[in-house]
């Protein structure tokens, strides 16, 4: 008998055993067949766009490039920090940053003085309800009261020369209360007319100290009898926002003291000698720290401060700004970066002007004119000069708004917007500082 030797593979098959690599080989063969089928059906190449092309439909992000940009920004600014330190040392002197004798600060006294105008406006509304005076007389008194609210604090800041920062804050609060009292008088007038027609709108039960001062405190510029409110104050959230406010405010002080102040001081000579190359160099050098201060100032005021006030008062509507950073036109920017002022302009200037027969263009012009006047007041009164730089800057927005409309929705529009912010603001800063410096020289301060 001949014994036939069987191979290991045959024995394995008999006992249903497979080679160790058989499963892997089958998967590879399957993948290979699918790949060949795919290549046969579609080929290796198909119609596709490059990832960086504007018409690319890829969902892959640009996080890596964004991280690279952040690293480059940090490194380039770190170099500037080192250069600034080697040249000037530490300019910030914390021991000189203190507040003493608050009651002697003219700015504080003037700020507290604003309550008189609030109480006068409240009294006039009660007199209107009691029909002590005719409606026209009440309106005239309200106009006089609001006009004095603007003129008296502005004059006191000009005459008594408070600390410039204190003066600017007073002028800002004066502008805010001007808007609030205007809205309070305007809306209550409308409510009063509706009530005379039998409309149940809550008037005059809203004329209380509590209701009025709640409106004076909340971050809103358009008066309503009731506002949306949250259920409770989030103490932990509030504490974090307060800490952020303190940190970023101090960062603004450091940037202004350490970087912007030396830059504007060194810009006086080129400006006086009309050395345009040096002026452009100073402008470009100032643009970066000025932009940082502007962005930080926006974040501190519109996001942190207004949210802190809203949280303390349980005010529910926190839409203080929209996505202005995506602006492709200057018109979009002005409608979205400062919602409290925009809402007031629409409710109390734009729409009333349209209802009186003015065109939309004319109504927009009136809005920018009012805004330009108050910008000039906020800058001019604390520095005791009226050079019309702020006024001109605001009025110049009108033609630029129409010029940028052709870029609506386009990337080039957003680039143009950022160029106007990055270069336009430091130019105004240089011009205002030069005029203020010359004024100080004539006064013998420098």
């Amino acid at each position: 008998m001949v014994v036939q030797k069987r191979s290991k593979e045959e024995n394995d098959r008999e006992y249903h055993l497979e080679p160790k690599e058989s499963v892997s080989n089958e998967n590879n063969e399957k993948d290979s067949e699918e790949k060949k089928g795919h290549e046969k059906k579609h080929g290796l190449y198909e119609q596709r766009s490059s990832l960086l092309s504007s018409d690319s439909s890829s969902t892959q992000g640009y996080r890596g490039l964004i991280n690279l940009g952040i690293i480059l920004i940090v490194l380039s600014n770190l170099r500037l920090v080192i250069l600034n330190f080697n040249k000037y040392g530490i300019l910030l002197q914390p021991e000189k940053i203190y507040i003493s004798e608050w009651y002697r600060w003219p700015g504080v006294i003037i700020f507290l003085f604003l309550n008189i105008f609030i109480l006068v406006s409240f009294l006039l509304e009660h007199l209107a309800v009691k029909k002590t005076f005719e409606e026209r007389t009440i309106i005239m008194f309200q106009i006089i009261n609001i006009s004095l609210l603007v003129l008296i604090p502005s004059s006191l800041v000009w005459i008594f020369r408070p600390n410039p920062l204190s003066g600017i804050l007073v002028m800002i609060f004066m502008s805010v209360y001007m808007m609030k009292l205007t809205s309070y008088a305007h809306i209550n007038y409308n409510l009063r007319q509706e009530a005379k027609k039998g409309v149940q709108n809550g008037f005059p039960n809203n004329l209380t100290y509590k209701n009025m001062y709640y409106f004076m405190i909340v971050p809103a510029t358009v008066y309503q009898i009731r506002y949306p409110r949250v259920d409770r104050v989030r103490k932990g959230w509030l504490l974090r926002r307060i800490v952020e406010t303190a940190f970023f405010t101090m960062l603004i002080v450091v940037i202004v003291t350490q970087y912007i102040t030396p830059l504007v001081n060194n810009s006086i000579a080129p400006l006086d000698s009309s050395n345009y190359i040096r002026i452009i160099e100073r402008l470009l050098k100032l643009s970066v720290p000025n932009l940082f201060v502007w962005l930080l100032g926006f974040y501190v005021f519109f996001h942190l401060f207004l949210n802190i006030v809203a949280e303390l008062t349980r005010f529910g509507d926190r839409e203080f700004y929209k996505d202005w950073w995506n602006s492709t036109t200057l018109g979009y920017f002005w409608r979205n970066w400062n919602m409290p002022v925009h809402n007031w302009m629409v409710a109390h200037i734009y729409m009333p002007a349209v209802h009186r027969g003015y065109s939309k263009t004319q109504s927009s012009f009136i809005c920018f004119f009012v805004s330009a006047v108050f910008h000039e007041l906020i800058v001019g009164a604390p520095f005791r000069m009226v050079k019309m730089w702020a006024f001109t800057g605001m009025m110049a927005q009108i033609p630029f708004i129409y010029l940028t409309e052709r870029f609506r929705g386009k990337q080039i529009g957003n680039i143009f917007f950022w160029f106007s912010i990055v270069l336009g603001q430091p130019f105004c800063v240089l011009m205002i500082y030069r005029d203020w410096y010359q004024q100080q020289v004539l006064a013998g301060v420098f």
Side-chain angles (χ1 to χ4, degrees):
M1 178 184 292
V2 179
V3 179
Q4 189 173 8
K5 184 180 280 188
R6 303 175 68 181
S7 67
K8 183 177 183 299
E9 288 78 5
E10 290 174 339
N11 289 332
D12 290 340
R13 282 194 298 271
E14 181 178 342
Y15 291 96
H16 306 287
L17 296 175
E18 294 181 356
K20 293 181 179 179
E21 298 179 355
S22 63
V23 176
S24 175
N25 289 337
E26 283 184 5
N27 290 336
N28 291 337
E29 289 174 1
K30 185 177 180 181
D31 293 340
S32 178
E33 289 176 0
E34 289 179 354
K35 184 176 181 181
K36 288 179 180 178
H38 174 76
E39 291 179 1
K40 185 176 181 180
K41 186 177 180 180
H42 298 288
L44 179 63
Y45 301 99
E46 59 183 272
Q47 185 174 346
R48 290 172 290 193
S49 299
S50 298
L51 290 180
L52 298 180
S53 298
S54 60
D55 58 346
S56 175
S57 60
S58 174
T59 58
Q60 299 181 32
Y62 302 99
R63 174 56 58 185
L65 294 177
I66 293 174
N67 291 338
L68 174 61
I70 293 173
I71 291 173
L72 292 176
I73 291 173
V74 171
L75 292 179
S76 60
N77 283 280
L78 182 61
R79 172 183 170 273
L80 295 177
V81 169
I82 295 173
L83 289 175
N84 181 275
F85 177 77
N86 289 336
K87 186 174 182 180
Y88 300 109
I90 299 177
L91 297 177
L92 184 66
Q93 299 178 0
E95 67 274 7
K96 292 186 178 181
I97 302 177
Y98 66 92
I99 300 174
S100 64
E101 299 179 332
W102 276 91
Y103 62 91
R104 292 186 180 179
W105 271 41
V108 177
I109 302 300
I110 297 169
F111 173 74
L112 295 175
F113 184 68
L114 296 176
N115 282 277
I116 295 176
F117 302 101
I118 297 174
L119 295 175
V120 169
S121 180
F122 179 76
L123 175 62
L124 288 173
E125 291 303 318
H126 275 276
L127 293 177
V129 172
K130 296 177 180 179
K131 299 181 179 180
T132 306
F133 298 101
E134 294 183 358
E135 198 68 61
R136 289 184 178 181
T137 305
I138 294 295
I139 294 173
M140 181 185 67
F141 283 156
Q142 287 284 21
I143 292 173
I144 293 173
N145 183 54
I146 294 170
S147 300
L148 292 175
L149 167 66
V150 174
L151 294 174
I152 293 178
S154 301
S155 301
L156 292 176
V157 169
W158 184 286
I159 294 170
F160 290 103
R161 302 186 183 185
N163 178 284
L165 176 60
S166 175
I168 291 174
L169 290 177
V170 167
M171 298 304 295
I172 291 174
F173 277 104
M174 176 274 294
S175 302
V176 171
Y177 282 122
M178 182 279 299
M179 290 188 287
K180 284 178 176 284
L181 290 186
T182 301
S183 181
Y184 189 76
H186 190 181
I187 299 300
N188 274 306
Y189 170 80
N190 292 338
L191 293 173
R192 194 159 54 246
Q193 302 309 309
E194 291 177 357
K196 290 179 181 178
K197 298 177 182 178
V199 178
Q200 299 296 322
N201 53 20
F203 185 88
N205 296 329
N206 62 307
L207 299 179
T208 63
Y209 287 111
K210 181 179 178 180
N211 181 273
M212 182 172 193
Y213 270 95
Y214 182 76
F215 171 57
M216 292 298 140
I217 295 173
V218 296
T221 53
V222 178
Y223 176 70
Q224 292 181 188
I225 294 179
R226 287 174 294 275
Y227 293 97
R229 301 187 68 179
V230 297
D231 296 331
R232 61 185 180 86
V233 175
R234 298 168 293 176
K235 296 179 181 178
W237 184 93
L238 181 63
L239 179 61
R240 289 193 295 272
R241 300 293 85 77
I242 293 174
V243 172
E244 282 185 56
T245 302
F247 173 77
F248 286 115
T249 301
M250 194 61 201
L251 183 58
I252 290 174
V253 172
V254 170
I255 295 176
V256 170
T257 305
Q258 192 71 33
Y259 299 95
I260 293 182
T261 301
L263 276 173
V264 294
N265 283 332
N266 295 334
S267 302
I268 297 300
L271 288 169
D272 289 341
S273 61
S274 299
N275 188 335
Y276 297 111
I277 299 298
R278 287 283 292 165
I279 291 174
I280 294 174
E281 185 270 337
R282 292 284 96 184
L283 180 66
L284 295 176
K285 196 170 184 179
L286 179 61
S287 63
V288 175
N290 182 82
L291 179 64
F292 286 160
V293 168
W294 185 73
L295 292 175
L296 288 171
F298 164 81
Y299 184 75
V300 167
F301 183 77
F302 286 98
H303 183 70
L304 296 177
F305 176 74
L306 293 184
N307 267 290
I308 288 171
V309 175
E311 192 70 19
L312 289 172
T313 57
R314 293 168 47 209
F315 185 74
D317 190 349
R318 312 289 175 91
E319 190 181 55
F320 305 123
Y321 54 89
K322 293 183 180 179
D323 62 331
W324 56 264
W325 45 87
N326 293 324
S327 300
T328 54
T329 68
L330 287 178
Y332 186 89
F333 167 72
W334 287 111
R335 289 190 299 271
N336 291 278
W337 100 280
N338 187 342
M339 294 308 298
V341 171
H342 173 72
N343 292 335
W344 184 86
M345 287 284 183
V346 172
H348 299 295
I349 295 182
Y350 183 83
M351 293 308 300
V354 171
H355 291 157
R356 287 180 174 273
Y358 291 94
S359 67
K360 293 182 178 180
T361 301
Q362 292 171 327
S363 302
S364 298
F365 178 87
I366 297 171
C367 289
F368 273 96
F369 180 83
V370 173
S371 180
V373 169
F374 279 91
H375 274 78
E376 187 65 33
L377 271 176
I378 291 171
V379 175
F383 293 101
R384 303 185 80 249
M385 63 178 188
V386 180
K387 297 293 184 178
M388 305 302 288
W389 286 111
F391 180 88
T392 304
M394 282 301 302
M395 296 306 293
Q397 299 299 306
I398 298 176
F400 281 116
I401 286 174
Y402 288 99
L403 287 174
T404 56
E405 279 299 319
R406 67 180 66 184
F407 304 133
R408 178 182 292 275
K410 299 179 181 179
Q411 187 175 0
I412 186 66
N414 186 251
I415 294 173
F416 180 85
F417 155 73
W418 277 114
F419 262 111
S420 68
I421 295 294
V422 172
L423 298 179
Q425 289 186 358
F427 175 78
C428 289
V429 169
L430 286 179
M431 295 299 102
I432 292 172
Y433 184 81
R434 183 195 63 175
D435 291 338
W436 178 79
Y437 181 85
Q438 292 175 346
Q439 181 189 71
Q440 299 301 303
V441 169
L442 293 175
V445 177
F446 294 136

